[in-house]
């Protein structure tokens, strides 16, 4: 059956508007595809981009003969539009659909894609995304339609899409391992780039993971999949949200060192913890000194300060390293583990800082 046929909706809410949408779709020839809680119009069909076809430079957009004037339909050829072409649309009436919204947003520029977020009842979730074929189209949409009254007393919000890509997953069981979480996320979601695990700042005996995805759309689909799925990685009440800036800042100073990994292709690459550096502390410092000498940068000068210690033996340090021949000093935070031999941890912190600086210098030099 057609995905918009009324019998497919679980109830008869807003039936008149739904029938008007079906009529509009038949008359215009527009095809709407509903996947993972969002209904999408436009964009390139799978396998039809210039990059996948090996066509070299992206071709100019083409308009399907059946598409309404001003809309870029599935006839688009070439790569997607550049960054800065998508706008966020908020405060929509929940019984308003594409038959009203697409003509409105195509009136200010050529649409590449329109995505309306949907509920299971067939109402919209109150927000949508419109991507234009050019940045000027997006600017026109914001200038013309922000605070536009789509109905009497109902002004919508139109602003630049923030393209958030990071999620927080709170309430994971304390027993969940890094490898188990990574394997589950790779299976349940697509586009995962990195996973970082912390002690939860909100729940005792629980973990929080920060997930970074390759794009906003991948992160949004992952958020929906994780909210509706069952990860089997924690107790009741596992919570998935966009990573809030305040939480991101707090996690940088949290009392348990994270373990991190990055996904490269289909391989997960582990990042060594500073605690593992002790057998080669002096080697790391010597390598940095040698590199700076060879590049005629001068001898690195270290400043370290212990900020806090937690009960399981980890120390957090702030460091600053000035290299005379390098234009700016290096600074940051690191965690090291006490060795039980009465050491202060400053040497370990210097080695951890040196390792990070070596990584930066190896790229820039």
């Amino acid at each position: 059956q057609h995905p918009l046929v009324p019998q497919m909706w679980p109830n008869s809410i807003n039936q008149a508007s739904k029938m008007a949408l079906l009529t509009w779709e038949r008359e215009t020839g527009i095809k709407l595809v509903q996947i993972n809680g969002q209904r999408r119009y436009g964009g390139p069909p799978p396998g039809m981009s210039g990059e996948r076809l090996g066509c070299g430079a992206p071709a100019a957009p083409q308009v399907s003969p059946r598409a309404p004037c001003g809309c870029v339909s599935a006839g688009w050829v070439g790569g997607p539009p550049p960054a800065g072409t998508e706008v966020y649309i908020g405060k929509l009436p929940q019984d308003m659909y594409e038959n009203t919204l697409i003509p409105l947003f195509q009136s200010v520029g050529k649409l590449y894609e329109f995505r309306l977020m949907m509920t299971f009842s067939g109402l919209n979730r109150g927000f949508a995304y419109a991507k234009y074929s050019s940045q000027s189209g997006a600017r026109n949409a914001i200038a013309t339609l922000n605070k536009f009254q789509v109905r009497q007393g109902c002004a919508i919000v139109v602003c630049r899409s923030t393209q958030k890509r990071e999620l927080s997953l709170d309430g994971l069981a304390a027993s969940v391992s890094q490898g188990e979480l990574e394997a589950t996320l790779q299976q349940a979601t697509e586009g995962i780039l990195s996973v970082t695990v912390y002690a939860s700042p909100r729940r005792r005996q629980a973990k929080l993971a920060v997930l970074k995805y390759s794009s906003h759309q991948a992160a949004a689909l992952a958020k929906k999949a994780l909210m509706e799925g069952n990860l089997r990685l924690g107790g009741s009440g596992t919570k998935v949200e966009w990573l809030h800036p305040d939480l991101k800042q707090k996690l940088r100073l949290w009392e348990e060192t994270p373990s991190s990994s990055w996904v490269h292709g289909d391989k997960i690459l582990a990042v060594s913890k500073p605690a593992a550096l002790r057998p080669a502390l002096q080697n790391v410092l010597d390598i940095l000194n040698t590199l700076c000498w060879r590049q005629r940068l001068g001898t690195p000068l270290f400043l370290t300060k212990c900020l806090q210690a937690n009960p399981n033996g980890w120390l957090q340090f702030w460091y600053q390293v000035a290299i005379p021949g390098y234009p700016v000093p290096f600074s940051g935070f690191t965690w090291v583990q006490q060795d039980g031999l009465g050491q202060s941890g400053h040497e370990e912190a210097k080695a951890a800082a040196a390792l990070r600086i070596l990584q930066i210098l190896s790229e820039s030099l």
Side-chain angles (χ1 to χ4, degrees):
Q1 284 189 341
H2 191 284
L4 300 183
V5 172
Q7 290 89 330
M8 295 294 290
W9 286 314
N11 54 50
S12 58
I13 294 176
N14 197 30
Q15 198 73 1
S17 294
K18 293 171 182 174
M19 291 302 298
L21 174 63
L22 285 170
T23 301
W24 173 80
E25 186 183 16
R26 285 194 298 266
E27 291 176 351
T28 61
I30 282 179
K31 300 300 180 186
L32 303 175
V33 180
Q34 184 161 334
I35 301 175
N36 294 324
Q38 60 178 307
R39 202 157 58 206
R40 185 174 72 93
Y41 161 74
M48 288 298 292
S49 70
E51 180 181 357
R52 292 185 182 181
L53 288 174
C55 299
Q62 297 179 356
V63 181
S64 167
R66 298 188 66 191
C69 181
C71 277
V72 178
S73 75
W76 176 279
V77 178
T85 55
E86 185 174 79
V87 298
Y88 167 83
I89 307 157
K91 295 189 177 181
L92 290 172
Q94 286 193 277
D95 60 347
M96 184 170 285
Y97 298 126
E98 292 88 344
N99 56 315
T100 299
L101 296 171
I102 286 179
L104 175 64
F105 280 87
Q106 76 173 14
S107 69
V108 297
K110 187 173 292 186
L111 280 176
Y112 169 80
E113 182 180 70
F114 190 91
R115 294 182 291 123
L116 183 63
M117 306 301 120
M118 301 298 297
T119 69
F120 289 111
S121 67
L123 296 172
N124 75 62
R125 294 182 183 270
F127 68 101
Y129 295 91
K131 181 176 286 189
Y132 287 86
S133 61
S134 66
Q135 293 177 347
S136 62
R139 289 194 296 267
N140 290 341
I142 295 170
T144 306
L145 299 177
N146 185 40
K147 298 183 180 180
F148 178 80
Q149 290 200 20
V150 291
R151 288 178 184 166
Q152 184 66 34
C154 184
I156 60 175
V157 171
V158 182
C159 60
R160 183 180 177 184
S161 177
T162 57
Q163 297 293 305
K164 293 181 287 188
R165 298 191 300 157
E166 292 180 299
L167 303 175
S168 65
L169 181 58
D170 200 1
L172 295 168
S175 60
V176 172
S177 69
Q178 180 84 18
E180 183 182 3
L181 178 58
E182 289 164 350
T184 302
L185 290 170
Q186 281 197 308
Q187 185 176 9
T189 66
E190 294 184 2
I192 184 76
L193 289 181
S194 71
V195 180
T196 308
V197 179
Y198 302 85
S200 173
R202 300 167 181 164
R203 307 186 190 187
R204 298 185 62 184
Q205 303 299 319
K207 289 182 179 179
L208 177 144
V210 173
L211 319 177
K212 187 171 183 178
Y213 284 84
S214 58
S215 67
H216 174 75
Q217 187 167 357
L221 293 176
K223 181 174 181 287
K224 177 176 174 57
L226 295 175
M227 289 176 66
E228 296 179 352
N230 182 9
L231 288 181
R232 305 180 185 275
L233 292 174
S236 59
T238 302
K239 191 172 184 180
V240 185
E241 298 178 303
W242 293 108
L243 180 61
H244 194 276
D246 291 344
L247 176 59
K248 188 173 184 177
Q249 179 66 23
K250 181 185 293 185
L251 291 175
R252 291 177 179 175
L253 302 174
W254 195 239
E255 64 180 5
E256 180 171 324
T257 187
S259 57
S260 300
S261 68
W262 287 86
V263 178
H264 181 71
D266 58 352
K267 297 180 180 179
I268 297 177
L269 308 177
V271 178
S272 300
K273 295 180 181 179
L277 297 173
R278 180 157 185 81
L281 289 181
Q282 194 57 49
N283 286 346
V284 175
L285 295 171
D286 288 345
I287 292 170
L288 178 60
N289 285 332
T290 300
L291 176 63
C292 290
W293 176 77
R294 289 178 177 174
Q295 296 293 329
R296 299 182 181 181
L297 298 176
T299 302
L301 303 174
F302 288 81
L303 177 63
T304 57
K305 182 178 180 179
C306 186
L307 300 180
Q308 62 173 307
N310 64 19
N312 58 4
W314 288 90
L315 303 172
Q316 187 192 42
F317 280 83
W318 169 84
Y319 65 83
Q320 186 175 76
V321 183
I323 300 176
Y326 202 79
V328 293
F330 299 88
S331 61
F333 300 90
T334 188
W335 288 88
V336 300
Q337 192 170 34
Q338 292 175 299
D339 58 9
L341 301 177
Q343 301 294 326
S344 65
H346 284 272
E347 290 305 310
E348 287 86 348
K350 288 180 181 180
L355 182 60
R356 295 184 184 181
I357 294 168
L358 280 170
Q359 293 170 342
I360 295 171
L361 290 179
S362 65
E363 295 175 359
S364 62
L365 300 179

